[in-house]
Amino acid sequence: MNVLVINAGSSSLKYQFLNVDTREVYAKGNCERIGIDGSFVGHEENGGPKQKLEVALPDHRTAIKHVFEILKAVDAPIDGIGHRVVQGGWYFPESALVTDETLGWVREVAPLAPLHNYAEADVIEICRDMFAQIGNVIVPDTAFHYHMPEHAWRYALPRDVVDTYHVRKYGAHGTSHRFIWRTVHELRGDKTHRLVSCHLGSGASLCAIEDGKCMDTTMGLTPLDGLIMGTRCGTIDPSTVVYLNRVGGYSIDQIDTMMNKESGLLAVSGRSSDSRDIEEGAHVGDEHCQMALEMFYYRTAQLFAEMASSMQGVDTMAFTAGIGENSAEMRQGVADRLAWMGVHLDAQKNAVRSDEPRVISTPDSAITCMVVPTNEEYMIALDVAELLG
Ligand code: ADP
């Protein structure tokens, strides 16, 4: 089955066209600057070079038309479309076929993720209207976390506030964490019962997974919670918002921008949100970069222990996403701060670069540590195949 996976943002639209059975990626790309001057499509076919096609993309409808036009060059029919949805709210315990009802849910929960859900809902509607003969599936990033225990998702706020505004932990990166569990389980079978999946990219979250079920995760109502990230502050005292507003005179919108776009590794390092630049700075003695790394290791190790505690133990740790898959230094830094739990990496195995899932801990490590490249698009395509198949 051939599936087109779409990941729409407010001014961008990423796509990947793949075969679920062979995992072959026919083509992928991204439409950038939709609705803004200078829009273009970056497109790659069969692992070939990236082409930059400068085209006017005044809206998402035009962008989708372009994507379908470009994909005509691929000699394979589109059998189904999978839509990544950032926030499924209290509605999606799993992926679902697009209907008027499910599309309405994506819009209803959009205030929880306004920068994503509105655009995603528009794109889903456009695809359904333009290509009525192709099945569309909604794959919410929160669905994997839907079944976590109430003591993990409930916020200790007044019940009527929680109920009226649906204020609770939803988590994110669920599709990635689900893929990591699936891959680890395929490789290790019953040797893994309690896994902490560490998705460390510009956005970063950990997830405690026991026998395939999410027990807790570090992101909360929104992806701002938990770890320190590229530009997000992660967990801080919630009163900071009130204090900055009352005493600092910052508006709520300014604080929102500050905490999401101007904080995290970028703020602490004063150099960059990109971990490679920070590692480079730290190597030449930049103390702010060294502190950014130290805080990243510290918080990741601390939250790892929190996730382990939610399962009363852990046997496997998996690193994934941009930093987790590529930075041996970050992995070592986190592992060093978990030596007290019996985590020991094999320095040589940790240094290997590969696209394959692999073990990087020593045989006597109390917790088996792995690097597992994530593949959210494939996971989405699998859901499409299951629901349409
Ligand atoms: P997202 O999908 O959330 O935008 P990614 O998973 O692509 O994020 O991760 C981006 C992060 O991964 C950046 O901080 C970047 O520095 C880091 N990264 C990517 N490639 C490498 C690499 N080869 N070595 C070290 N870090 C890397």
Side-chain angles (χ1 to χ4, degrees), residues 14 84 173 199-204 230 232 265 272-279 320-328 330 353 374 376:
K14 289 190 200 147
R84 181 190 185 206
H173 292 145
H199 181 112
L200 309 178
S202 3
R232 295 182 211 145
L265 295 174
S272 169
S273 62
D274 191 306
S275 64
R276 286 166 288 199
D277 300 334
I278 299 171
E279 285 179 10
T320 194
I323 297 172
E325 291 170 31
N326 294 299
S327 175
M330 287 287 206
R353 289 197 152 272
T374 195
E376 288 156 287

Side-chain angles (χ1 to χ4, degrees), residues 139-355:
V139 182
D141 229 10
T142 48
F144 186 56
H145 306 304
Y146 187 94
H147 299 285
M148 82 181 118
E150 183 172 346
H151 58 250
W153 64 253
R154 181 168 284 282
Y155 284 173
L157 288 167
R159 279 185 181 268
D160 62 326
V161 172
V162 171
D163 293 346
T164 307
Y165 298 101
H166 304 280
V167 191
R168 51 162 282 178
K169 180 183 279 200
Y170 293 104
H173 292 145
T175 309
S176 173
H177 291 306
R178 189 154 56 101
F179 177 81
I180 300 305
W181 164 263
R182 193 178 183 277
T183 308
V184 169
H185 209 250
E186 264 171 21
L187 291 170
R188 285 178 42 84
D190 275 350
K191 285 188 200 136
T192 294
H193 288 289
R194 291 175 295 189
L195 166 76
V196 176
S197 167
C198 309
H199 181 112
L200 309 178
S202 3
S205 71
L206 307 186
C207 184
I209 308 169
E210 186 167 352
D211 290 325
K213 185 170 182 277
C214 169
M215 300 303 285
D216 204 345
T217 189
T218 57
M219 283 177 168
L221 178 80
T222 73
L224 185 57
D225 205 0
L227 291 164
I228 295 167
M229 305 174 224
T231 60
R232 295 182 211 145
C233 58
T235 306
I236 53 172
D237 181 342
S239 298
T240 312
V241 177
V242 178
Y243 182 78
L244 285 177
N245 177 249
R246 281 196 194 133
V247 179
Y250 291 93
S251 70
I252 293 298
D253 284 345
Q254 283 171 325
I255 299 169
D256 192 31
T257 303
M258 180 198 298
M259 290 181 173
N260 277 288
K261 303 225 165 97
E262 299 161 0
S263 298
L265 295 174
L266 172 67
V268 180
S269 71
R271 182 184 281 241
S272 169
S273 62
D274 191 306
S275 64
R276 286 166 288 199
D277 300 334
I278 299 171
E279 285 179 10
E280 220 173 274
H283 295 164
V284 297
D286 182 325
E287 287 176 10
H288 293 318
C289 289
Q290 287 166 354
M291 180 50 68
L293 290 185
E294 185 52 45
M295 287 170 71
F296 190 82
Y297 303 150
Y298 174 74
R299 285 294 290 151
T300 307
Q302 199 173 41
L303 288 174
F304 178 87
E306 199 177 287
M307 291 298 106
S309 164
S310 71
M311 301 185 285
Q312 297 292 291
V314 52
D315 48 63
T316 311
M317 171 184 206
F319 289 98
T320 194
I323 297 172
E325 291 170 31
N326 294 299
S327 175
E329 187 172 340
M330 287 287 206
R331 293 193 295 259
Q332 190 66 61
V334 174
D336 286 347
R337 280 147 193 83
L338 290 168
W340 65 274
M341 285 179 88
V343 170
H344 297 292
L345 295 193
D346 177 318
Q348 272 181 342
K349 287 184 187 162
N350 186 34
V352 169
R353 289 197 152 272
S354 160
D355 291 334

